Amino acid sequence: MLYFRSMKNAFTLLSENLNQKLTELGIKEPTAVQNEIIPRILEKKNVIFQSETGTGKTFAYLLPLIQNYGENDDVTADAVKILIVAPTFELASQINQAAKQITEKKTALFIGGAPIKRQIETLKEKPFLVIGTPARLVELIRLKKLKISGLKAIVFDETDRLVRKELFEESDALRLLVPKESQVIACTATLNKQTKIFFAGIENVVLPAEDVLRKRITHWAIYAENRDKIETLRKFIAACDYQKILIFTSRADQVENIYTKLRFKKVDCMALHAKADKQLRKAAIDKFRSGKCKILITSDLAARGLDIANISHVIQMDLPEDEDFFIHRSGRTARAGKSGINVVIGDEYEMRKYAALEKKLGIVVYPKEVYNGEIVAPGEN
């Protein structure tokens, strides 16, 4: 048995080559989820695991899968061995980038909205690992362009989204299309009842909460009437000492409005729209990830699953109806053991909602304001 409950460093189970890749990435110690999940996957077990956002779930499944089916397995030249399903273009692209960091084998990214002919041409290059959104993957399989008869493993990433109404049909079709002997892995930040039903019979692993929301994120509240919010945001940015700022708004049309007004005031920023062209979305994320642009404005759908290092501040320009979205937004900062600041800029109604959320989630919210170019507590000026 490779798995031990007292496993302290699951990286010792990985090959020298993979450990070298991790060293080059500056990763020295596995996270809790990696310690728990890597041994299980190396044993080729089916598993669905829950772990908070920013805890290292992607490498928890990528590392052992690449070792199992990319290093020690006899890989036939024409077979896709690993299939990874993600709910959004951004997450699929992110997983693809992560995979490229730890394997030289060919990977391929297939998402809806991109030219299918070009993707079919890519399949002629015989990728070992394929990542994509469910509808496009199902389409390619049914066209008999994506051949999965030799598939060894399928991963459903962010299963809470994949089993929701809008993606359920395609996700279910994929589950039924893959060979029955394939290893099945799923991960999520919220293991709900629907997910458990979808993956009935598969071992559930729930990692203890690291309580990132309370322990590593500082929560601020800045009051502003709706008409003054963007100007308050501009003043906050000018007064703020930040590495990267991610700005959220619930309404897609507000993304463009905030972007336009900040740009008019000479603030260097970019906008990420769910409906925007895939290449423009990729360009915005790449520029933000690299630090060439340090401020990104987005909606909840566009930024779902976004894992970008060194986001020091998250700014919420409204409070979402669903508290899971609040948690998701906040969790874009304080990743990989770091700390961060979550700011809500809201009117009187939103401040009341924020106070109720503070009590419900057990967080502490500190009132702030921008005064004379500084961020201070009310009464300090």
Side-chain angles (χ1 to χ4, degrees):
M1 293 285 286
L2 286 171
Y3 171 65
F4 302 93
R5 283 218 73 81
S6 58
M7 175 61 65
K8 291 182 179 178
N9 189 340
F11 288 173
T12 61
L13 302 175
L14 299 174
S15 68
E16 186 179 336
N17 180 49
L18 283 173
N19 272 290
Q20 179 60 36
K21 296 285 186 187
L22 291 169
T23 300
E24 289 168 7
L25 292 169
I27 300 171
K28 297 175 182 177
E29 297 289 331
T31 64
V33 68
Q34 289 161 3
N35 269 335
E36 193 76 19
I37 298 303
I38 285 173
R40 280 180 163 90
I41 296 178
L42 285 173
E43 284 191 310
K44 304 188 178 179
K45 289 182 176 180
N46 295 336
V47 63
I48 174 168
F49 61 97
Q50 172 187 301
S51 184
E52 289 174 294
T53 183
T55 52
K57 291 190 289 293
T58 305
F59 273 172
Y61 65 74
L62 274 179
L63 289 162
L65 286 177
I66 286 169
Q67 174 150 313
N68 276 352
Y69 306 121
E71 296 204 333
N72 302 331
D73 200 50
D74 291 327
V75 180
T76 53
D78 61 347
V80 173
K81 292 294 182 181
I82 302 166
L83 188 65
I84 301 174
V85 193
T88 63
F89 158 73
E90 281 76 23
L91 181 57
S93 178
Q94 199 165 270
I95 296 165
N96 189 37
Q97 288 179 343
K100 287 179 180 296
Q101 290 178 316
I102 55 174
T103 183
E104 284 82 30
K105 291 188 179 296
K106 175 72 179 173
T107 70
L109 178 64
F110 299 134
I111 45 92
I116 195 166
K117 286 186 178 178
R118 192 178 301 166
Q119 293 178 355
I120 290 170
E121 286 298 310
T122 301
L123 282 167
K124 292 178 181 176
E125 298 172 20
K126 299 179 172 52
F128 150 77
L129 186 153
V130 165
I131 306 119
T133 48
R136 180 50 57 90
L137 292 175
V138 169
E139 185 178 10
L140 287 166
I141 292 168
R142 286 178 173 162
L143 287 171
K144 299 189 177 354
K145 299 300 181 182
L146 174 55
K147 297 179 174 65
I148 56 169
S149 58
L151 194 73
K152 295 290 187 180
I154 182 168
V155 179
F156 294 85
D157 199 322
E158 282 209 4
T159 54
D160 58 322
R161 283 287 306 281
L162 290 170
V163 301
R164 284 186 184 176
K165 187 177 178 181
E166 64 270 20
L167 294 175
F168 181 87
E169 189 176 333
E170 292 86 356
S171 299
D172 192 43
L174 269 173
R175 184 180 56 169
L176 297 172
L177 283 166
V178 299
K180 286 184 169 55
E181 62 273 16
S182 300
Q183 185 177 6
V184 178
I185 297 150
C187 64
T188 180
T190 48
L191 184 53
N192 56 29
K193 184 179 178 181
Q194 193 175 358
T195 303
K196 290 178 182 178
I197 293 169
F198 189 84
F199 294 101
I202 295 178
E203 180 185 17
N204 293 180
V205 178
V206 178
L207 273 293
E210 295 182 21
D211 210 3
V212 173
L213 198 68
R214 288 195 299 170
K215 293 181 178 176
R216 298 213 303 266
I217 299 176
T218 302
H219 300 274
W220 290 354
I222 297 179
Y223 172 80
E225 292 292 342
N226 199 49
R227 63 179 178 273
D228 300 324
K229 280 187 177 185
I230 297 175
E231 179 59 15
T232 301
L233 170 65
R234 184 198 66 78
K235 289 178 179 177
F236 179 88
I237 291 169
C240 184
D241 181 17
Y242 61 89
Q243 287 180 282
K244 290 177 188 170
I245 296 177
L246 186 59
I247 301 165
F248 280 100
T249 179
S250 296
R251 288 168 41 202
D253 62 327
Q254 272 295 94
V255 174
E256 187 63 33
N257 186 35
I258 295 166
Y259 169 76
T260 302
K261 289 183 176 177
L262 287 182
R263 292 288 295 181
F264 181 75
K265 294 286 188 175
K266 310 298 183 190
V267 177
D268 185 20
C269 59
M270 296 193 75
L272 184 64
H273 304 265
K275 295 181 180 178
D277 174 83
K278 296 290 193 298
Q279 289 304 114
L280 291 175
R281 285 163 67 179
K282 185 178 185 302
I285 290 172
D286 288 349
K287 200 170 179 184
F288 186 56
R289 190 187 301 279
S290 69
K292 290 178 182 176
C293 180
K294 295 183 178 181
I295 302 171
L296 183 66
I297 308 146
T298 185
S299 63
D300 294 295
L301 289 177
R304 182 75 190 200
L306 212 57
D307 185 3
I308 292 177
N310 302 320
I311 295 175
S312 55
H313 294 71
V314 166
I315 302 177
Q316 307 195 36
M317 298 296 286
D318 49 40
L319 275 177
E321 291 301 318
D322 188 337
E323 71 183 56
D324 283 348
F325 278 86
F326 173 85
I327 295 167
H328 163 76
R329 289 174 172 188
S330 305
R332 300 307 97 193
T333 188
R335 299 178 80 81
K338 294 187 177 181
S339 59
I341 295 171
N342 170 55
V343 185
V344 174
I345 298 177
D347 58 18
E348 187 177 342
Y349 170 71
E350 287 165 321
M351 289 297 110
R352 285 200 301 269
K353 277 179 66 177
Y354 199 11
L357 206 54
E358 175 183 24
K359 188 175 181 180
K360 185 175 182 180
L361 297 176
I363 59 178
V364 177
V365 176
Y366 299 93
K368 296 288 180 181
E369 64 181 14
V370 183
Y371 183 80
N372 278 347
E374 293 186 1
I375 300 164
V376 298
E380 282 186 5
N381 51 60

